[in-house]
Structures are given as C-alpha cells and as structure tokens.
Amino acid sequence: MTSSEENLPAEQQTASQEVAPAGRAPLDVISVREGMFGVHGSGDTSGYGGLERVVSMPGASPRPYGSYFDEIVDVLTEVLAEAGVDFDDAVEKVVVYRDELSLYVVPEHLPLVARSLRDDQDLRFELCLGVSGVHYPEDTGRELHAVYPLYSVTHNRNVRLEVAVPDADPHIPSVIDIYPANDWHERETWDFFGIIFDGHPSLARIQMPDDWPGHPQRKDYPLGGVPVEYKGATVPAPDERRAYN
Amino acid sequence: MAAPTTGPSATAPIGDTGGAREYVATGADWDEIAEDAHAHADERIVVNMGPQHPSTHGVLRLVLEIDGETVTETRAGIGFLHTGIEKNMEYRTWTQGVSFCTRMDYLAPLFQEAAYCLATEKLLGITEDVPERATLIRVLMMELNRIGSHLVAIGTGGNELGATTVMTIGFTGREEILRIFEAITGLRMNHEYIRPGGVVTDLPAGCTQMVRDAIPKIRHRISQLEKILLKNPIFVGRLKGVGYLPLAGAMALGAAGPILRSAGMPFDLRRAQPYCGYENYDFEVPTSTDADAFARVEIRFKEMRESLKIVQQVLDRLEAQDRKGKQPVMVADKRIAWPAQLSVGSDGQGNSLEHIRKIMNNSMEALIHHFKLVTEGFKVPAGQVYQQVEHPKGPLGVHLVSAGGTRPYRAHFRDPSFNNLQTVGMMCEGGTIADVVVAVASIDPVMGGVDR
C-alpha cells in the first residue's frame, strides 16, 4: 500500500486492492487530490497541504458476483460466443457496486451486446432507460463515459452498460435501432457531452439552441454565474466558491 | 419567429425557410391566410404549434406537417425551459442538491426529491438506516403528490379541450393537497423536504387528522371529475381511439407509466422493485387494453383512488407510531444528519430556536460541527448508482456519480416526460390537428421535467 492510499476511506482501499486481473483494464483513476481543505498556495504550515489522495471508481469485481448477476454474465458469454465474439473482448470488466451490475463494454461491440441482452429469452432487457454521459477529464484516454441503464420487465432485473471513449475520438455506435427510445437520450448526451453516436439519423442538439458552441455538461465548461454583493461583502459565483472535494 | 408580415403573400424575410412561403398570423387575418393556403394546397404545409400555445401543455413546440386537417408528420421541439439543473447540482453539496431537483417536474416535486435521496442513501450505504417514520412520511408525501399530479393532468387536459370547469375542479382538488404540503413542509412547491437520510422535520401536531379530513374532499373532487368526464359524449368522442399507442410501440419507445399500463402491461415499479416499503401496502395496478387517450384518463382516475388507499394505510401506521412516542425522522449518524430539525413556525419555515441557543451560548464544538456540516456537507464514497421510482408519469431514474467528495460528480435524471414525449409522433400522425391536443395531454408532459 502506498502512502497515498492510506488516506483513502476504507471502502476505496478495498476497491484499489482488488487489482484488475491480467489483461483487464486498470482502475479508473478519476482524480488525484492534494491538500485537505481545498485551499492551495495559502502558506499552510499544518502539513495537511502535502496530502495526496487518489480517487478511483470501484474496480473489477471477482466471481461470484452474487444475486442474479452471475447468471446474466454466463448467459451473455454464451450468446456472444454464438455470435463469434469472446466475452473478454467485448466486455472490459464487470463491476458490482451497491448491489448493481455494471458491464464495461468496448465501444464497437456495444450494438451486439445490447442486441444480445434484448433478444435472448433468458436476458430479455426490453427497456433501455436512456443514456447518461459522464466526463472524467483525468481518466486519460477514456474521458467520456456513456452509461446505459437496462431493465428487463420479464425478469425484473437491471443491468448497466458503460462505454468509455477518448475525448479526441468520441464515437460510440448508436443503439436506437435496438432501443428506439434512446433517440432523444442520445441527442441529449451529444448536446451536453459531445459524444457522437454513429448511426443516429439526426444527431441534433435537443436542449441547447442549434447554434450553441460547446457542450455544457463537460467538466471543462464553466458553470458561469456572477458574484453577488450582500451588505458590503461579495459572495463569489457558485463555481468560484471553495470546494471541499 | 419572423417579424409579423403584413399580408399573406409576403414571403418570409427572416429565418431559413429554404424559400418556402411563410405566414405569420397576427390576429384577424385568418381568412386571408386560409385563402392563400388553399390556393397553394398542393405544396407542403408546415404548422408551428407552440411554444407559446395554450394547448401544448407548456412551452412545447410542435412542428406539424398537414394535409388539410390531417397531420402527416409531427416533430417536437423542446429545450425552452432548460435551466441547467443537472450542471448546477455538481456545484452544490449533496443536501443542497434536493433544492435543485425538486424544481424539475414542478407538479411532482417530491418524486424527484425521493428518488435523489434514495440514490444518495444507496451511495452512502445507509439505505437500511433510514428511520421507518421517515419512510412512512415519504410514502405519504409521494402518494398525495401523485394525486395532485394526476388532477392537474386531467384538469389541464380538459382545459385544452375547452372545458374550463374540468380545470377548476382539478385545481380545487389539488388545493387540498397543497394545503397539506404547506402545513408539513412550509411550502406549496419546491419543498426541499426529503433529504438524504430522512426528512427535514416530523409531521406537525394534528397532521394525520388534517390529512384524514382532506381525503373525503379530495375524493369528492375526483368523483366530480369522473362524473363530468367519463360519460360525457363530447369528452368520450374526442378521446376514444385517439392517441393510440399499442403495447409494442410503447415498449419500443420505453413509454412506461400510464401509457404502458393503458396498453395492457401491469408494470409499476412500486410492485416490480419496491422501494420505501411499498411491498407492505395493499393497492392495485390498474390497466386497460384500449391504449388510447381515454384509457389513460381512466387509469389516472383509478390510480388516484389507489393512492388514497395507500394514504389511508400510511396514516394508520403513522398514528400507531404516534402512540409509541417520538420517533426519529433522520438517520442517527451525526456526520450526515443536520444537527437540528427545522420547525414550521407560525410564519412558515423556521429555525429551531432551542438549537440556536445551544450553539450560540453553550457549545463551541456544536457550533463548529453545525457550520462544517451545513457549509461543507458530508462526503460520499466514490461510485455510481441508479435509482428508479414510479413517478406519476412513468419510471423516474436517477443516475448519481460520486467522486468521493462533498458534491455530486454527476447527477442525471431520466425524466419520464422527456422520454414519453417521443411518442407524440406515433400518436398524432394520421390524426387531425384537434387530436394532437388530446394526444399530447394524454402523455402529460411537464416541460420543467422534460427540459431540466
């Protein structure tokens, strides 16, 4: 255990100890934080300013995954094998966190995985409840994540697909020929994150005006706002205020 | 929109219409416009309905391509009410997030609050620690809110057909519910009442009796609406067979909620994946197989009656608890729960004077703790969760990502109205313009939720 890991809360320590098996993707390190109080360059002599914390998302989970998760992974492995794709080639890692199953899918195999999950009678994930983008600027080479929550009405089960693409080449195949409901959701994620869903028939902005520059939900896009003066003191705009993160 | 042109023959000077003829109605010029449109009847006619139109259920823009009275193509333009709520939540503490998400679907604010708090609790791993009383109060608030939302859905739907009485009855019934909300939370909307870990404050004294007294009044308004609508030949004629969306279409477009139930699928998250102890309540999931606008109205009526049933069961349990003495409504963990409960004073929401005396006069440590927790907030372990609740309009999903800090790293709301509005094309194309109004009302989109 390195000194930086000692500062992690207990839960994150376990997550980092479960080092990804050989051949699987390493941990999603999303940030390295310094100091304790969100203040930099203040001449802090307490020593806390030198602390360094690595923040990573929960890593790959070992078998058994528990609940119905093993069955989903097993059946999906079979269905993918029938289509001539090795499970490990299509799915980077399997994460179980807070009793929820996430499959990290390689972008080019997303349509196949989604179609398999929808059509196989033991999987039957009929509903895709949209796609939510997340921007991790420090997850180098995998900055933009798209998260697809799937739900099976037949079996009353949930699974989540996550696809990570680099900011420099943000292309993910569209799934709207499999889940037509994702039409507006993909437009929204394009609008807010700039992820390009290849194969979408009209990937236009949906919430922002058509001529809007930039993608507002990305972390490098400023929140905006103005400082507010109150009784002689000035309260800075929300994104300028001190963050204790 | 282009500046008003003086006559129907004037071509559009502004905007990219690709050389197409553009008409802007400014008042009593309909005859001229109709005449000119008739003269060019062989061309495509595109009509903009909204965003400022009393029949589009909010700031919704519908682009209709028409052939006579028949709608051949429908597109919806949204985004007029986008306020960046999700982005703003990334710059506020986990507790402050509630005050943002409550403003999304402003007719069902407590569902956003509940879903967001359930998701935060799941991330914190304290789902089991939330006191029973807090969960009971959440169920009470959500079910009352469901009735309020459905009353507005039916009321404004009737108003859009030209029946103002339907709206006034609906709003009068909702008023009873808002009065209860005001007594409990201090506010009629934007409550910020449900917080991660529990609820802000316990029910005020005599509250359960107040709700019990209101139930017959609410039921009376529901009955009035049923009587004025369900056998009304004009209402039946306008809604029967209109806005038809069969099961396959509803599933493909993910239009769960009343739309899917009107097509015959008894899917309700309160049953399928119970949260807040819904497995312990006795209620039915009404369905129909007509899959039209009329079936959706019927289902909303039945759901309101089922919600009243749940409200009565919650009241019984709350009163049973009252007899046992004071119960907590917030988790015991002092790192998450705010040090004092707010209390609704005679002037509405107020501080706990007893707590202020304590931190200002007696305990420096308590003051520091209060200050740190309120300004800095609590940390949530890194990870992501997805939480669904059954919103009056369908499943509401919250995708929450934490990076281990005191603020959400990403909060995304899968609003049911946003998703369901996609069905507008399938419901309207092939019908008449008048049917568009009925179909949109049967989806019941609330633009605050659609645009966020």
Side-chain angles (χ1 to χ4, degrees):
Chain A
M1 190 183 279
T2 65
S3 65
S4 64
E5 275 179 13
E6 280 164 24
N7 303 312
L8 287 172
E11 239 170 289
Q12 287 166 29
Q13 284 185 18
T14 23
S16 349
Q17 279 162 0
E18 289 162 10
V19 176
R24 292 276 172 88
L27 291 178
D28 283 336
V29 174
I30 52 169
S31 175
V32 179
R33 298 212 180 100
E34 288 168 4
M36 270 288 271
F37 307 107
V39 186
H40 298 281
S42 67
D44 172 24
T45 53
S46 67
Y48 287 111
L51 286 178
E52 210 177 69
R53 289 194 304 143
V54 178
V55 181
S56 59
M57 297 304 272
S61 305
R63 291 259 193 178
Y65 304 127
S67 190
Y68 52 79
F69 303 151
D70 293 277
E71 196 191 327
I72 290 181
V73 173
D74 291 342
V75 175
L76 183 63
T77 308
E78 269 175 49
V79 179
L80 289 178
E82 281 167 27
V85 175
D86 194 38
F87 181 81
D88 288 339
D89 291 339
V91 179
E92 291 171 349
K93 63 177 172 182
V94 179
V95 178
V96 177
Y97 184 69
R98 299 294 188 215
D99 294 329
E100 293 179 356
L101 175 67
S102 298
L103 305 177
Y104 285 68
V105 181
V106 177
E108 60 262 35
H109 291 300
L110 176 68
L112 175 67
V113 171
R115 193 177 291 279
S116 310
L117 286 169
R118 186 193 67 175
D119 290 345
D120 188 83
Q121 58 170 354
D122 294 326
L123 298 168
R124 279 271 187 273
F125 287 91
E126 304 99 336
L127 293 178
C128 180
L129 301 153
V131 50
S132 161
V134 192
H135 185 206
Y136 299 104
E138 287 166 71
D139 192 4
T140 314
R142 309 156 48 84
E143 288 91 352
L144 294 165
H145 290 224
V147 182
Y148 302 77
L150 306 186
Y151 179 69
S152 163
V153 180
T154 310
H155 301 295
N156 191 22
R157 290 173 171 181
N158 293 79
V159 68
R160 179 165 51 225
L161 304 182
E162 185 155 347
V163 181
V165 285
D167 197 2
D169 181 31
H171 287 268
I172 296 177
S174 170
V175 295
I176 69 166
D177 52 339
I178 303 156
Y179 295 112
N182 259 31
D183 180 355
W184 282 17
H185 297 280
E186 288 185 356
R187 282 177 63 189
E188 187 184 350
T189 305
W190 147 252
D191 193 354
F192 286 153
F193 290 91
I195 298 176
I196 300 164
F197 293 92
D198 294 325
H200 191 291
S202 60
L203 197 66
R205 286 188 185 271
I206 189 164
Q207 302 282 16
M208 308 304 287
D210 288 344
D211 54 355
W212 193 266
H215 301 283
Q217 286 276 7
R218 293 163 68 119
K219 291 287 174 189
D220 49 12
Y221 190 101
L223 178 70
V226 291
V228 179
E229 201 180 304
Y230 181 67
K231 292 192 175 177
T234 306
V235 181
D239 56 344
E240 305 284 310
R241 290 175 203 162
R242 178 186 298 178
Y244 296 90
N245 264 323
Chain B
M1 187 178 245
T5 49
T6 45
S9 53
T11 46
I14 305 170
D16 181 19
T17 60
R21 197 175 291 274
E22 185 177 9
Y23 303 108
V24 180
T26 53
D29 49 359
W30 288 106
D31 286 344
E32 287 172 64
I33 290 179
E35 207 173 290
D36 200 66
H38 188 68
H40 299 91
D42 53 328
E43 295 174 11
R44 294 172 76 202
I45 298 179
V46 179
V47 172
N48 250 312
M49 190 165 152
Q52 279 84 25
H53 192 283
S55 289
T56 55
H57 223 84
V59 279
L60 168 64
R61 176 184 171 210
L62 292 168
V63 185
L64 311 174
E65 193 178 320
I66 56 168
D67 179 12
E69 271 292 301
T70 310
V71 177
T72 54
E73 207 179 314
T74 314
R75 275 180 216 181
I78 62 166
F80 297 97
L81 219 51
H82 177 60
T83 44
I85 292 178
E86 291 173 359
K87 178 91 174 172
N88 263 297
M89 287 174 81
E90 294 170 12
Y91 292 90
R92 301 301 197 292
T93 64
W94 291 92
T95 306
Q96 286 172 320
V98 178
S99 64
F100 281 81
C101 66
T102 189
R103 286 159 166 78
M104 291 178 172
D105 183 340
Y106 43 81
L107 294 179
L110 289 150
F111 290 90
Q112 278 95 245
E113 295 184 15
Y116 170 77
C117 291
L118 288 170
T120 311
E121 285 154 10
K122 206 193 263 187
L123 265 177
L124 283 163
I126 58 165
T127 308
E128 302 299 317
D129 304 334
V130 177
E132 196 199 344
R133 191 171 177 83
T135 302
L136 290 175
I137 296 174
R138 286 176 180 184
V139 171
L140 173 74
M141 301 298 277
M142 281 195 280
E143 291 310 314
L144 287 171
N145 204 174
R146 190 184 310 279
I147 301 168
S149 173
H150 280 351
L151 281 172
V152 174
I154 295 168
T156 53
N159 186 48
E160 285 154 15
L161 300 180
T164 322
T165 317
V166 178
M167 184 192 68
T168 51
I169 298 173
F171 274 90
T172 315
R174 177 171 174 255
E175 193 61 31
E176 296 295 338
I177 293 163
L178 292 187
R179 229 168 261 157
I180 297 169
F181 284 168
E182 193 174 4
I184 296 174
T185 72
L187 293 159
R188 290 159 57 89
M189 62 193 301
N190 303 338
H191 308 285
E192 304 162 41
Y193 179 66
I194 301 172
R195 298 273 173 96
V199 295
V200 169
T201 178
D202 203 351
L203 301 176
C207 180
T208 50
Q209 191 54 45
M210 180 188 179
V211 181
R212 278 195 195 283
D213 293 342
I215 289 176
K217 296 182 199 162
I218 299 167
R219 188 173 286 137
H220 170 64
R221 297 297 172 193
I222 297 172
S223 304
Q224 260 189 325
L225 277 176
E226 280 176 336
K227 280 180 197 151
I228 204 174
L229 292 176
L230 294 181
K231 293 275 192 289
N232 181 328
I234 301 174
F235 190 78
V236 174
R238 295 268 329 247
L239 270 74
K240 273 267 184 204
V242 172
Y244 181 71
L245 186 68
L247 183 60
M251 283 298 274
L253 292 174
I259 298 175
L260 191 58
R261 289 194 283 273
S262 78
M265 173 77 82
F267 170 55
D268 188 320
L269 281 167
R270 292 177 291 175
R271 268 288 157 71
Q273 299 190 335
Y275 49 92
C276 290
Y278 268 111
E279 64 273 27
N280 304 321
Y281 296 95
D282 172 32
F283 66 100
E284 302 294 322
V285 179
T287 56
S288 167
T289 49
D290 295 346
D292 61 2
F294 190 76
R296 282 166 217 141
V297 170
E298 279 184 315
I299 282 177
R300 292 201 173 99
F301 274 123
K302 287 179 187 158
E303 284 185 11
M304 286 194 277
R305 302 232 177 243
E306 295 304 320
S307 290
L308 282 177
K309 248 162 83 180
I310 299 176
V311 167
Q312 257 154 346
Q313 295 168 52
V314 181
L315 289 176
D316 291 342
R317 288 173 204 186
L318 283 168
E319 280 165 2
Q321 275 202 334
D322 283 342
R323 288 190 283 278
K324 280 192 271 176
K326 191 150 177 62
Q327 305 282 326
V329 292
M330 189 44 110
V331 287
D333 189 343
K334 291 292 174 207
R335 287 171 300 175
I336 294 164
W338 277 19
Q341 281 187 13
L342 297 175
S343 54
V344 182
S346 54
D347 57 341
Q349 199 92 9
N351 290 313
S352 161
L353 295 174
E354 192 190 339
H355 176 68
I356 292 176
R357 254 193 301 279
K358 183 185 164 203
I359 59 175
M360 298 311 284
N361 296 349
N362 300 334
S363 173
M364 172 75 127
E365 291 74 19
L367 176 66
I368 294 171
H369 175 66
H370 180 116
F371 181 76
K372 287 288 278 180
L373 197 54
V374 173
T375 60
E376 179 179 334
F378 50 81
K379 286 194 162 79
V380 172
Q384 62 178 334
V385 291
Y386 191 77
Q387 173 71 40
Q388 299 185 84
V389 302
E390 186 70 27
H391 188 281
K393 285 127 193 146
L396 168 75
V398 181
H399 177 225
L400 267 188
V401 183
S402 173
T406 57
R407 298 164 166 190
Y409 190 74
R410 163 84 168 129
H412 176 67
F413 283 67
R414 184 261 189 204
D415 186 86
S417 303
F418 175 81
N419 186 84
N420 294 355
L421 206 48
Q422 295 183 89
T423 62
V424 75
M426 218 181 225
M427 284 187 187
C428 296
E429 285 168 14
T432 63
I433 298 178
D435 292 344
V436 173
V437 176
V438 174
V440 171
S442 82
I443 300 171
D444 186 26
V446 172
M447 301 314 286
V450 173
D451 294 343
R452 284 157 282 134

